[in-house]
Amino acid sequence: MALDSNPKQDFKIVGTRVPRPDGIDKVTGKAMYGADISAPGMLYGRILRSPHAHAKILSIDTSAAEQAPGVKAVVTSADFANPGDDYFRDIRDNCLAAGKALYDGHAIAAVAATSKSAAKAAIRLIKVEYEVLPHVTDVDAAMAPDAPIVQEGRALENVPKGMSQNVTTHVEFGHGDLDAGFAKADKIVERSFKTAATHQGYIEPQACMASLGADGRGEVWCCTQGQYMVRANCAEVLGIEASQLRVISSEIGGGFGGKTTTFIEPVALALSRKSGKPVKIVMTREEVLRATGPTVSTSMDVKIGMTKDGRITAAKADLRYQGGAFPNGTVEFGAQAAFAAYDLEAVQTLGWSVMTNRPKEVAYRAPGAPTAIYAVESVVDELCQDLGLDPLDVRIKNAARKGTLSAYGPTFDEIGLLATLEAAKAHPHYSAPLGPNQGRGLSCGFWFNFGGNTCVSLNLNDDGTVGVVEGNPDIGGSRASISMMAAEELDIPYDKVRTVIADTSSLGFNDVTDGSRVTFAVGLATIEAARAAKREMCSRVAKIWGLEEDAVTWEDGCVKPAGPNAGEHPPMSLAEIAAIANNTGGPIAGHHEVNADGAGVSFGVHLVDTEVDPETGATKILRYTIFQDAGKAVHPDYVEGQMQGGAVQGIGWALNEEYIYGEDGRLQNPGFLDYRVPVASDLPPIETVILEIPNPGHPYGVRGVGETPIVPPLAAIANAVSRAAGVRLTELPMSPPRLLKAITENA
Amino acid sequence: MKTIHVETTINGDATEFLCAPDESLLDVLRDRLGLTGAKEGCGTGDCGACSVTVDGRLVCSCLMLGAEAQDAQIETIEGMADGETLHPLQRVFLEEAALQCGVCTPGILVAAKALLEKNPDPTDTEVRYWLAGNLCRCTGYDKIIKAVQTAAAEMRGA
């Protein structure tokens, strides 16, 4: 049976817009999210949080809370185990503080009680004695030699001696001779930028229900991007065996990277173990904003040299990212992504990870890339303005392409950057006229994409239908795209396939739903599992016909005789083979386990028109068009949805969203009223143009599409605003007061 | 705290429940009546995920007390379809992929239905302002606005 090794080109099902299998439940209110489950005898958990940005915990007295009406258990970090490595100890210490409260909102202790109100009342009875310590929340301040130290002894060896202990890692990427490159430039622009931390802003707060017996056996139901990650974290933090803990992922109400770690699951398990009852914890929005995954905030310097005809001669970036109160490595992604869109002879990026008294940073869609690319694309745009060059022509002239040695090391294979730039140039949006106080901006965007560890089982049922079992929570329609790829490969109708998400006890390990990996890697594993099932079907039919296996072939959804000597046999369909499987050797299934490589990088270009009100500093988005290479868009509706949703999150980052800390180190805007994400009336339609440059690393040419769309908006909008307002801001968000001040000072 | 006995009508069914004086209608729906279609995204009336109608008026059920539901007519997402037949808004949301994670979807559908009952032929701007109280973080709203308009046209018989 021959299987083509090049990406498939002709499709029957992939590329169509079929209904999603979880749709009816989601429009009728039946779908079960994290907070929607309950169990007999269930208790409600509630967490006490630090009011201080940085404080030594001298004592915790839980005796009054334990005696309060309805309270069945109180836990502190003393109820957790002692994991063997830093990664899990950090997870543990973020779930419940050990020794020091490291940020405003850091969890200190928790109670489980028979009602929400009893739990809420009981946490007020926990007496915590603090010794308040000096704090730091700004990245540059945290790098100063005399800054308060968030945690001691956490720096890696690559951090030069003499720096603040808050600096935990240093990275460097690049190639070529920078001095020679800058010497060739006709114009050099060097600017410093700052960006505020933002939050993923998923509408569903973290929620879980956990049950753990004295025998170490337990179950967790939770909204997560990775049930296997929850299992590993909980097993380490609780000191139990992974095999004894079954984690079930609920429907998930958004994550965007923010649900790739654990906050409440180990706490609920500890409360359950102590009380002997199932415990449910649902975070409030205030808890979500104060204590779960914001992004980094940054301080960055970028220097780029350009010839007067628009060729970049050298480029340098120095990125300083604070990631909260624990070591983090997000700056590495930023440093790698910063100049990915360019074919450069001389380039260098430096990155520094910094700790502050803020919540531990968690991934948010293309983590680290939007801010770095904002700084780079702002400087490229300023050079275009200074030299009187068309910003799209300059990007085309310098664009990375197949064979380019990327700024972060690898040499690119087939990539879609040039195609997206040319599509943007040809689009009517680029030449549409603009009015007064209006400006057009653009930016390139990039994300690496990821494959990772993946298991899929594909089972043939005796009625000719197919079940696919995969292990990645469906965060935006992936059950549809996985079913489509299975149906395509088996040549059966889409509605004959049902894909379900396994719990941790039902399938081997899968990495979390992140890095735009699911449609790529789970899709790849599904196709390979289907091919394994096809090989088995061929083998069964060969036996029935008394032929060698190479004398049959899979064609048009059937096993057929192959070659002139195979004889005349009527083709056998999947349904016919499945119906008699029990008589030909037993059930037929295909499996595939892989650490998937070849994810294929993703590029996009965003075009945006803005209008700035010079009297208020308010920016309105007038028109927005996205061009992105999807490799192959399996379900175009949901590819468009990823592009539109990511762009709007980027619009929020550019214009409104901002973590605001007071002098006291406390978060001042922990609610959706003051942490303002974009609403429908802020926005125009978001137009999308999907390009399909097949990824050689996937049987159908698929590339991940989820992350890249959040990358360009920050710079595209900054560039549009600078042209509309006649003044360039170097700080995000470009909120009305900040822009008004710049306009006023420029006047 | 003594509980309060409330008699109300939910999705056309006469319903009785006991609730604490400080308990929100959302908590009553979710925790006491098992109607978990309405979601709590913020608890402060900023996200609209808990939208229901009370005597025809669109409200955030997290901002209303359960005790205030006495003698009211409450409609939730669970009452929107007629048996197996989806409401046009529900069907078009699926056909046009106007949802991704789906957690804001019940609130948006309830809000959109309330809009079309008041204004069967809204402009895009009117739809966008009416739905400005319903946060969606996944879709960028584009497909939601289009789906509301498709359903509105269908319901007008256009």
Side-chain angles (χ1 to χ4, degrees):
Chain A
M1 188 180 71
L3 290 168
D4 195 355
S5 59
N6 292 319
K8 185 177 160 82
Q9 300 284 347
D10 300 319
F11 298 95
K12 290 181 183 167
I13 295 164
V14 163
T16 62
R17 299 175 190 248
V18 295
R20 61 192 281 169
D22 52 328
I24 298 234
D25 284 356
K26 286 183 174 166
V27 298
T28 55
K30 281 190 287 188
M32 298 278 286
Y33 293 83
D36 295 340
I37 201 165
S38 50
M42 183 180 85
L43 304 175
Y44 294 89
R46 183 104 183 174
I47 293 171
L48 176 70
R49 296 183 180 278
S50 170
H52 304 295
H54 196 192
K56 200 167 170 186
I57 301 168
L58 302 175
S59 65
I60 305 175
D61 178 359
T62 60
S63 55
E66 282 160 12
Q67 300 306 315
V71 172
K72 302 295 180 188
V74 183
V75 296
T76 66
S77 71
D79 293 280
F80 285 158
N82 193 20
D85 68 52
D86 280 350
Y87 173 82
F88 290 113
R89 280 197 296 274
D90 284 352
I91 298 275
R92 176 196 65 185
D93 295 346
N94 199 33
C95 288
L96 284 172
K100 275 211 302 186
L102 297 169
Y103 56 90
D104 167 47
H106 196 168
I108 305 292
V111 304
T114 50
S115 70
K116 285 182 188 171
S117 54
K120 196 172 173 181
I123 59 166
R124 296 198 196 103
L125 301 174
I126 298 171
K127 296 188 192 73
V128 186
E129 199 183 345
Y130 294 103
E131 178 192 328
V132 176
L133 302 170
H135 65 269
V136 61
T137 56
D138 176 76
V139 61
D140 292 320
M143 291 180 80
D146 59 347
I149 294 167
V150 179
Q151 290 194 50
E152 295 192 356
R154 301 304 304 271
L156 296 182
E157 286 172 2
N158 58 21
V159 177
K161 295 263 180 298
M163 295 191 87
S164 165
Q165 288 197 56
N166 293 326
V167 181
T168 54
T169 58
H170 173 57
V171 294
E172 182 174 342
F173 298 94
H175 58 254
D177 184 340
L178 279 182
D179 291 338
F182 282 119
K184 282 190 261 180
D186 295 311
K187 176 84 187 172
I188 294 171
V189 168
E190 185 169 12
R191 290 279 173 263
S192 296
F193 299 87
K194 289 199 96 158
T195 65
T198 59
H199 193 276
Q200 294 83 355
Y202 35 81
I203 305 302
E204 179 201 30
Q206 267 85 355
C208 70
M209 190 180 69
S211 180
L212 180 61
D215 59 358
R217 287 171 202 263
E219 295 200 345
V220 177
W221 157 280
C222 60
C223 55
T224 178
Q225 290 177 243
Q227 60 272 50
Y228 300 89
M229 170 277 298
V230 172
R231 180 180 68 175
N233 289 358
C234 290
E236 288 283 342
V237 170
L238 274 296
I240 55 178
E241 291 181 359
S243 64
Q244 301 305 311
L245 188 61
R246 176 169 167 246
V247 181
I248 305 153
S249 58
S250 69
E251 293 295 336
I252 178 170
F256 316 108
K259 291 176 183 167
T260 56
T261 188
T262 45
F263 300 100
I264 54 176
E265 295 85 354
V267 179
L269 281 166
L271 287 166
S272 177
R273 182 164 60 183
K274 216 163 188 174
S275 64
K277 311 263 189 200
V279 174
K280 178 167 164 177
I281 297 180
V282 180
M283 276 189 162
T284 64
R285 179 57 52 182
E286 181 179 329
E287 287 181 290
V288 168
L289 287 166
R290 282 173 75 201
T292 74
T295 65
V296 295
S297 68
T298 76
S299 168
M300 305 175 286
D301 308 321
V302 170
K303 179 181 177 185
I304 299 176
M306 194 179 275
T307 60
K308 56 180 183 286
D309 64 348
R311 181 73 193 145
I312 297 174
T313 59
K316 183 177 182 218
D318 193 349
L319 313 174
R320 300 168 293 276
Y321 284 17
Q322 74 74 27
F326 296 85
N328 77 93
T330 295
V331 78
E332 185 167 347
F333 295 136
Q336 291 181 306
F339 293 106
Y342 295 100
D343 182 5
L344 300 171
E345 280 181 21
V347 56
Q348 182 189 49
T349 50
L350 308 177
W352 307 90
S353 300
V354 184
M355 291 188 293
T356 63
N357 295 111
R358 292 186 181 220
K360 184 182 180 189
E361 176 247 345
V362 184
Y364 180 25
R365 215 165 190 157
T371 45
I373 287 178
Y374 154 68
V376 167
E377 291 288 89
S378 293
V379 172
V380 170
D381 196 61
E382 188 173 342
L383 281 160
C384 294
Q385 283 178 302
D386 289 351
L387 294 168
L389 299 169
D390 179 278
L392 252 179
D393 288 343
V394 166
R395 266 114 178 153
I396 290 170
K397 184 179 279 243
N398 293 283
R401 56 200 80 200
K402 185 177 181 179
T404 292
L405 172 64
S406 70
Y408 64 97
T411 299
F412 285 131
D413 201 328
E414 291 290 351
I415 57 172
L417 176 59
L418 209 53
T420 55
L421 287 164
E422 282 164 356
K425 185 144 194 210
H427 194 277
H429 183 169
Y430 196 58
S431 49
L434 290 166
N437 298 316
Q438 296 180 357
R440 177 166 299 139
L442 69 96
S443 170
C444 299
F446 164 82
W447 185 246
F448 310 90
N449 286 339
F450 178 55
N453 293 296
T454 309
C455 280
V456 167
S457 280
L458 182 148
N459 302 306
L460 269 54
N461 303 317
D462 59 10
D463 64 354
T465 61
V466 169
V468 178
V469 185
E470 52 123 328
N472 277 94
D474 175 353
I475 202 156
S478 61
R479 273 165 295 192
S481 60
I482 299 308
S483 294
M484 291 170 82
M485 286 186 267
E488 183 78 48
E489 190 62 32
L490 295 170
D491 215 341
I492 58 175
Y494 166 73
D495 62 8
K496 298 292 182 201
V497 181
R498 180 164 185 186
T499 298
V500 299
I501 315 295
D503 64 64
T504 54
S505 299
S506 307
L507 190 69
F509 177 82
N510 284 269
D511 279 322
V512 297
T513 295
D514 73 351
S516 294
R517 76 175 213 90
V518 174
T519 308
F520 167 76
V522 180
L524 181 149
T526 300
I527 292 164
E528 293 298 338
R531 289 176 179 178
K534 290 198 303 196
R535 283 192 292 274
E536 180 61 21
M537 284 188 274
C538 286
S539 164
R540 299 286 177 94
V541 173
K543 275 187 203 141
I544 293 170
W545 290 340
L547 298 171
E548 295 296 319
E549 284 187 25
D550 60 5
V552 302
T553 188
W554 179 274
E555 201 178 297
D556 300 329
C558 295
V559 178
K560 294 180 179 174
N565 301 325
E568 290 291 324
H569 297 281
M572 287 190 74
S573 69
L574 181 149
E576 288 167 324
I577 300 164
I580 57 167
N582 293 353
N583 302 325
T584 63
I588 298 175
H591 304 274
H592 195 71
E593 293 82 31
V594 64
N595 186 351
D597 207 354
V601 299
S602 165
F603 284 96
V605 174
H606 290 201
L607 268 184
V608 57
D609 295 351
T610 61
E611 182 170 306
V612 170
D613 182 341
E615 293 185 3
T616 64
T619 299
K620 188 168 175 53
I621 306 288
L622 301 173
R623 185 172 183 181
Y624 205 104
T625 311
I626 303 170
F627 306 84
Q628 189 176 322
D629 170 21
K632 175 67 198 173
V634 177
H635 194 308
D637 275 343
Y638 293 102
V639 172
E640 292 161 5
Q642 289 293 321
M643 290 159 71
Q644 292 166 329
V648 168
Q649 288 182 319
I651 290 170
W653 204 333
L655 295 177
N656 294 315
E657 296 179 36
E658 175 175 20
Y659 262 50
I660 301 169
Y661 279 92
E663 289 292 315
D664 58 1
R666 301 194 65 184
L667 184 62
Q668 295 186 332
N669 56 337
F672 272 145
L673 188 63
D674 298 315
Y675 182 87
R676 194 179 179 289
V677 305
V679 302
S681 54
D682 295 335
L683 298 161
I686 310 287
E687 193 177 339
T688 54
V689 178
I690 300 173
L691 292 101
E692 295 187 321
I693 292 90
N695 169 21
H698 187 278
Y700 292 175
V702 170
R703 295 176 200 272
V705 296
E707 332 264 295
T708 300
I710 202 174
V711 179
L714 285 60
I717 295 165
N719 294 340
V721 166
S722 82
R723 289 164 189 263
V727 56
R728 182 170 290 276
L729 265 60
T730 54
E731 192 169 354
L732 296 183
M734 296 175 289
S735 51
R738 198 170 275 155
L739 183 54
L740 185 61
K741 184 165 176 278
I743 292 169
T744 310
E745 285 171 3
N746 191 48
Chain B
M1 272 188 298
K2 272 179 87 170
T3 54
I4 296 169
H5 177 243
V6 177
E7 290 178 73
T8 188
T9 304
I10 300 179
N11 300 325
D13 295 328
T15 306
E16 289 178 67
F17 59 82
L18 294 171
C19 68
D22 62 351
E23 198 169 334
S24 71
L25 175 61
L26 178 61
D27 278 351
V28 169
L29 291 172
R30 292 179 53 83
D31 298 341
R32 295 187 185 267
L33 303 177
L35 296 171
T36 55
K39 309 298 179 190
E40 180 163 324
C42 66
T44 51
D46 296 312
C47 80
C50 64
S51 297
V52 300
T53 59
V54 178
D55 296 329
R57 183 163 168 252
L58 181 65
V59 301
C60 288
S61 60
C62 73
L63 294 184
M64 178 174 158
L65 295 171
E68 294 178 280
Q70 178 69 36
D71 298 329
Q73 296 280 336
I74 294 168
E75 296 285 335
T76 72
I77 186 66
E78 286 88 351
M80 198 161 164
D82 179 11
E84 287 187 349
T85 309
L86 297 178
H87 186 280
L89 279 162
Q90 293 173 306
R91 185 170 40 72
V92 175
F93 264 55
L94 292 183
E95 288 167 359
E96 300 193 0
L99 61 148
Q100 281 177 37
C101 82
V103 82
C104 71
T105 309
I108 288 186
L109 287 168
V110 167
K113 179 166 175 269
L115 166 66
L116 299 185
E117 279 164 7
K118 281 172 77 87
N119 180 358
D121 190 10
T123 65
D124 281 0
T125 303
E126 285 170 335
V127 177
R128 285 183 179 275
Y129 275 87
W130 181 270
L131 292 179
N134 291 82
L135 301 181
C136 169
R137 193 62 159 170
C138 292
T139 65
Y141 305 102
D142 189 277
K143 290 183 191 295
I144 292 173
I145 307 305
K146 288 185 177 129
V148 172
Q149 292 292 33
T150 304
E154 188 182 307
M155 288 164 69
R156 289 193 307 271

